[in-house]
């Protein structure tokens, strides 16, 4: 039945319901749709990141490495500076489980060394009669945990009076595996500290250039172009060479970190500038300006958080470059110096072609460098895709 049409001039009759309005009753959605529509931005990013299996695996791998560097002294079989003078340039030992068909457990064979008088090369041979069982959660070389207290507890140790060189030894008889574990602490943290410096400089300089524009933006862009036009390796070498030789290892470590951060902020600054050039015309920025908000507050509280996920993804991709920079500087002798140990310093043992030909296990430190670089790149790709979950 239709309602009568009112005569001309008569008011239209209408009805307002006083019942509470349920927006979900208009459009019936499935439970999955409701879960997605009510999810927060962070949860949507996490769901999209989980679908990138390679990035997720890389994140787990990197998280495990960064947890590992907290306990380097406990995880390494030997102390960083322990020398085994009877086993110089000893090749890696093979871990075995069975001896003469019987299960023995994890063990290695003892070794005997002979010197080739023609080439003066040390030759090592396994002695099957000398079974050296690997010990776990045992007492071994003493160390100072983070320089705080003395301890000698290790997760794995050689047999009493035996040896355990899973990755061989160097020219001083030091265990390569232990030195790789210790070197991870420096090589991994220098990337994080360097990207922190770069992150702060990129956001501050790029934010001011993009928000204010004008002469300051022009000067910043010219400075960025000049820095990016200079080859990175010669610039690293020149800046690293001006550090005094009398500096302590800690000061050199901080100096290398600052150098890497100062040279890597340009790309991040341009990304921030391009975003702010578009966002500064939004209505909420004008409203904040009319309310008297300062430029620092508008940039820090209203503009930068809007694309922080993109900045984090960009920074993650930049960390491998800093790790490679430290490795290159240390390999060339212009970066960190002993007694500090990093993966770059370990690779200085393999500078000579003849050394690599006779002792190829000295190149093992390149393996964690390659794995970490790939993991950071995969993680950065996953974070960059997850930064825009609506795509």
């Amino acid at each position: 039945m239709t309602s009568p049409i009112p005569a001309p001039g008569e008011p239209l009759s209408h009805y307002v319901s006083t019942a509470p309005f349920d927006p979900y009753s208009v459009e019936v959605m499935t439970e999955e749709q409701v879960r997605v529509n009510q999810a927060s931005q962070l949860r949507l990013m996490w769901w999209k990141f989980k679908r990138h299996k390679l990035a997720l695996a890389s994140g787990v791998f990197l998280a495990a490495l960064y947890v590992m560097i907290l306990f380097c002294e406990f995880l390494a079989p030997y102390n960083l500076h322990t020398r085994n003078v009877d086993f110089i340039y000893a090749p890696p030992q093979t871990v075995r489980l069975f001896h003469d068909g019987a299960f023995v457990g994890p063990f290695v064979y003892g070794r005997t060394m002979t010197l080739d008088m023609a080439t003066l090369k040390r030759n090592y041979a396994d002695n099957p009669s000398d079974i050296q069982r690997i010990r776990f959660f045992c007492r071994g070389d003493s160390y100072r945990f983070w320089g705080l207290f003395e301890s000698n507890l290790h997760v794995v140790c050689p047999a009493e009076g035996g040896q355990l060189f899973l990755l061989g030894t160097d020219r001083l008889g030091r265990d390569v595996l232990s030195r790789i574990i210790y070197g991870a602490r420096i090589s991994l943290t220098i990337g994080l500290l360097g990207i922190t410096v770069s992150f702060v400089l990129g956001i501050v300089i790029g934010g001011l250039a993009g928000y204010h524009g004008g002469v300051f933006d022009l000067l910043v862009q010219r400075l960025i172009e000049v820095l990016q036009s200079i080859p990175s390796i010669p610039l690293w070498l020149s800046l690293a060479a001006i550090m005094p030789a009398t500096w302590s290892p800690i000061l050199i470590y901080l100096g290398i970190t600052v150098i890497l951060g100062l040279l890597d902020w340009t790309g991040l600054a341009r990304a921030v500038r391009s975003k702010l050039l578009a966002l500064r015309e939004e209505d909420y920025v004008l409203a904040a300006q009319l309310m008297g908000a300062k430029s620092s507050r508008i940039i820090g509280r209203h503009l930068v958080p809007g694309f922080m996920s993109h900045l984090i993804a960009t920074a993650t991709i930049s960390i491998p470059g800093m790790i490679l920079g430290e490795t290159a500087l240390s390999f060339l002798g212009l970066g960190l110096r002993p007694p500090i140990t990093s993966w770059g310093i370990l690779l200085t043992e393999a500078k000579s072609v003849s050394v690599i030909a006779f002792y190829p296990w000295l190149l093992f430190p390149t393996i964690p460098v390659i794995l970490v670089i790939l993991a950071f790149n995969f993680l950065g790709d996953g974070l960059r895709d997850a930064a825009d979950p609506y795509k």
Side-chain angles (χ1 to χ4, degrees):
M1 179 179 179
T2 60
S3 59
I5 300 176
E10 291 185 7
L12 293 173
S13 60
H14 60 277
Y15 171 75
V16 177
S17 174
T18 59
F21 175 68
D22 182 11
Y24 297 105
S25 64
V26 179
E27 181 182 355
V28 179
M29 295 185 293
T30 64
E31 292 185 3
E32 183 66 22
Q33 290 175 325
V34 171
R35 190 169 71 97
V36 172
N37 289 341
Q38 295 181 350
S40 64
Q41 176 84 359
L42 190 61
R43 185 175 291 274
L44 289 174
M45 290 175 60
W46 169 243
W47 287 341
K48 189 166 184 179
F49 179 74
K50 284 198 304 183
R51 292 203 297 268
H52 200 306
K53 300 300 182 184
L54 196 55
L56 184 62
S58 299
V60 173
F61 171 71
L62 291 173
L65 283 183
Y66 278 99
V67 171
M68 181 202 74
I69 65 176
L70 299 175
F71 309 99
C72 289
E73 297 88 350
F74 172 65
L75 296 175
Y78 291 92
N79 185 285
L80 174 63
H81 305 293
T82 297
R83 298 183 180 184
N84 302 275
V85 294
D86 294 331
F87 296 92
I88 295 175
Y89 284 134
Q93 292 177 285
T94 303
V95 177
R96 307 171 189 273
L97 297 176
F98 297 89
H99 175 70
D100 290 340
F103 179 77
V104 178
F107 73 94
V108 295
Y109 288 135
R111 279 183 168 168
T112 56
M113 188 272 291
T114 57
L115 183 62
D116 188 340
M117 299 307 297
T119 61
L120 296 181
K121 180 184 177 182
R122 294 175 173 83
N123 297 314
Y124 293 89
D126 289 340
N127 182 8
S129 62
D130 185 9
I131 297 176
Q132 300 179 0
R133 289 185 174 86
I134 299 175
R135 298 180 295 149
F136 297 95
F137 299 100
C138 44
R139 301 290 176 177
D141 289 349
S142 61
Y143 56 83
R144 290 191 63 82
F145 186 76
W146 283 90
L148 300 176
F149 59 87
E150 196 80 20
S151 179
N152 60 357
L153 182 64
H154 297 262
V155 68
V156 60
C157 303
E160 292 287 351
Q163 304 83 38
L164 183 62
F165 306 129
L166 299 181
L167 297 182
T169 62
D170 61 8
R171 60 186 175 87
L172 297 177
R174 296 171 298 189
D175 180 44
V176 173
L177 174 60
S178 299
R179 291 176 62 77
I180 289 177
I181 294 175
Y182 276 95
R185 177 175 290 172
I186 299 298
S187 294
L188 292 178
T189 54
I190 204 168
L192 290 183
L193 295 178
I195 201 62
T196 301
V197 176
S198 172
F199 204 74
V200 173
L201 289 176
I203 290 178
V204 172
I205 298 176
L208 292 175
Y211 182 74
H212 292 292
V215 178
F216 182 77
D217 181 30
L218 184 65
L219 293 176
V220 168
Q221 294 311 303
R222 301 296 79 77
L223 175 63
I224 290 176
E225 290 170 359
V226 170
L227 289 177
Q228 290 184 340
S229 65
I230 302 175
S232 57
I233 292 181
L235 189 58
W236 286 344
L237 296 179
S238 59
L239 291 176
I242 65 176
M243 289 190 297
T246 57
W247 277 12
S248 67
I250 295 298
L251 286 179
I252 294 177
Y253 171 76
L254 295 176
I256 294 296
T257 301
V258 172
I259 288 173
L260 294 175
L262 288 176
L263 299 181
D264 195 65
W265 63 270
T266 54
L268 191 62
R270 279 198 159 174
V272 173
R273 171 186 174 272
S274 62
K275 287 287 185 181
L276 292 194
L277 283 175
L279 294 178
R280 69 180 183 178
E281 306 298 335
E282 296 291 337
D283 292 339
Y284 64 88
V285 176
L286 178 60
Q289 292 172 343
L290 295 176
M291 294 179 67
K294 296 181 179 179
S295 299
S296 58
R297 180 177 178 85
I298 294 175
I299 295 174
R301 293 292 301 274
H302 300 290
L303 294 177
V304 172
F307 57 95
M308 182 59 74
S309 56
H310 294 274
L311 296 181
I312 293 174
T314 303
T316 304
I317 297 176
S318 300
I319 292 178
M322 296 197 172
I323 295 177
L324 285 176
E326 179 277 324
T327 302
L329 289 176
S330 298
F331 177 76
L332 296 173
L334 294 172
L336 302 174
R337 303 174 190 135
I340 286 184
T341 299
S342 70
W343 291 337
I345 291 178
L346 295 181
L347 288 175
T348 59
E349 299 280 345
K351 280 184 177 180
S352 171
V353 176
S354 60
V355 170
I356 297 175
F358 285 111
Y359 317 113
W361 56 87
L362 295 180
L363 287 176
F364 277 134
T366 59
I367 296 177
V369 173
I370 295 172
L371 292 178
V372 168
I373 299 304
L374 290 176
F376 268 116
N377 285 328
F378 292 143
L379 177 63
D381 289 341
L383 289 176
R384 185 171 51 194
D385 295 340
D388 190 1
Y390 300 104
K391 239 180 184 181

